[in-house]
Amino acid sequence: MTARADALFELADAVLCADGPVRSLVGLSLVPEHRRGHGALYDGINHGRLNIASLRNLVAAQGLPRAEDGRIRLAVDVSPWLRPDAGTSSERSFCHTYGRGKDQHLMVPGWPYSVVAALETGRTSWTALLDAVRLLPGADVAAVTTDQIRGVVERLIAAGQWLHGDPEILVVLDAGYDAPRIAHLLADLPVEVLGRMRSDRVLARPAAPRASGTNGRPPKHGGEFIFGDPATWGPEQAKTTTDTRLYGTATAQAWDRLHPRLTRRAAWTDHEGPLPVIEGTVIRLQVDHLPSGGDPKPVWLWCSTVNMTEADVDRCWQTFLRRFDIEHTFRLFKQTLGWTVPKLRDPHAADRWTWLMIVVHTQLRLARPLTTDLRRPWEKPLDPERLTPARVRRGFRNIHAKIASPASAPKPTHPGPGRPTGSPNQHPAPRHNVGRILATGQAYQRPTHHKKGTKPRRTG
């Protein structure tokens, strides 16, 4: 913290030690751990400075959760900070929201943030947050995500979290990302990309060996593999069956060396040289039932690794289910820590507040073995290693009282006179029009798969 460090430090302490969820930003000035006034609080958010590069390195150097085989598993997702009424806030873009109404996909203005977190094993609501980047209007989401993942992996290697000979870092993506393209851009790193694909995709098999004496250009693609047509699947390379508690019997089928048929459009328009053939393994996961009781639909996954064994297939689809733990972190950020509570105007102030949230969450993760469970009378006792982030935060004040604070004591002062009563504001804030543009820079259209009676066929 290079400017307004004391105010920012005590603001983070106030978020950690506040009783209950954060309902307002100015309310944190009433927390005993925040010894300054509300003016210093807003001054720290609006005019403070954080060295985010140093924070990234510091967070990457902390202990990370790993899988049973010692593998680091990273989840990437976008969470929006919705600001529909903030006409004076710049750099807003339309954010995709789902679930705000029955079967509704709404586009709401706001600041979308791409977040990278390391996943734990087992059923848990903990993740280890490593990075957050605000997506600017018109940004190429795949390119930004690739640069973000590259930076995280390089910092983990520099911090000694990954050494030569360790299992490759597994990066898990949801259906909104182009997993083959990201895998191609990260081919020089020790990463394995696992992403969800839509059920209307069409991939291609490897080209058959060229017969001797055949003229013409050799084919790049073999027969089609249509996700919605079982007649095109053929025999699978691996098949596993697992009994689960929530989903009943989970059946996973895998087909090897399938790739998308790329064309020179969209992200591949300016690609130099011939278009690559990005081969991977396709996994189809089918379960008996859902916890909500709905009709289970198959989940299609694409992994950049080929020649996978049955153990690799099970590891991939089980890791993909763990990806949803990052949703618990987003819920903690928004409902408990108050990430989207402040009505900030400057997007750079929103970035500072976002990184304060990452610092707060990292401190909660480091305080897990030190916290005493202060459970409510109606809550069940939990082992120390099973405490949720909210229950660790509940006991953080007892830890805070035993440690020193680098923040200096506040100096007594008096507020300025402010603008005289009745005088108009001579410098109104400029207003910024969001426009019908997505974070990808494309004009918004209702997706084809949202229109009834249509079944698109995606080959790219």
Side-chain angles (χ1 to χ4, degrees), residues 66 70 72 156-169 190:
R66 299 172 183 266
I72 298 176
L156 293 179
I157 296 175
Q161 301 282 12
W162 186 90
L163 302 176
H164 182 71
D166 291 347
E168 290 185 335
I169 299 174

Side-chain angles (χ1 to χ4, degrees), residues 104-117:
Q104 288 185 352
H105 299 256
L106 302 179
M107 306 304 295
V108 182
W111 293 316
Y113 279 85
S114 176
V115 180
V116 179

Side-chain angles (χ1 to χ4, degrees), residues 164-181:
H164 182 71
D166 291 347
E168 290 185 335
I169 299 174
L170 180 60
V171 180
V172 189
L173 310 170
D174 204 3
Y177 296 90
D178 188 353
R181 182 189 174 200

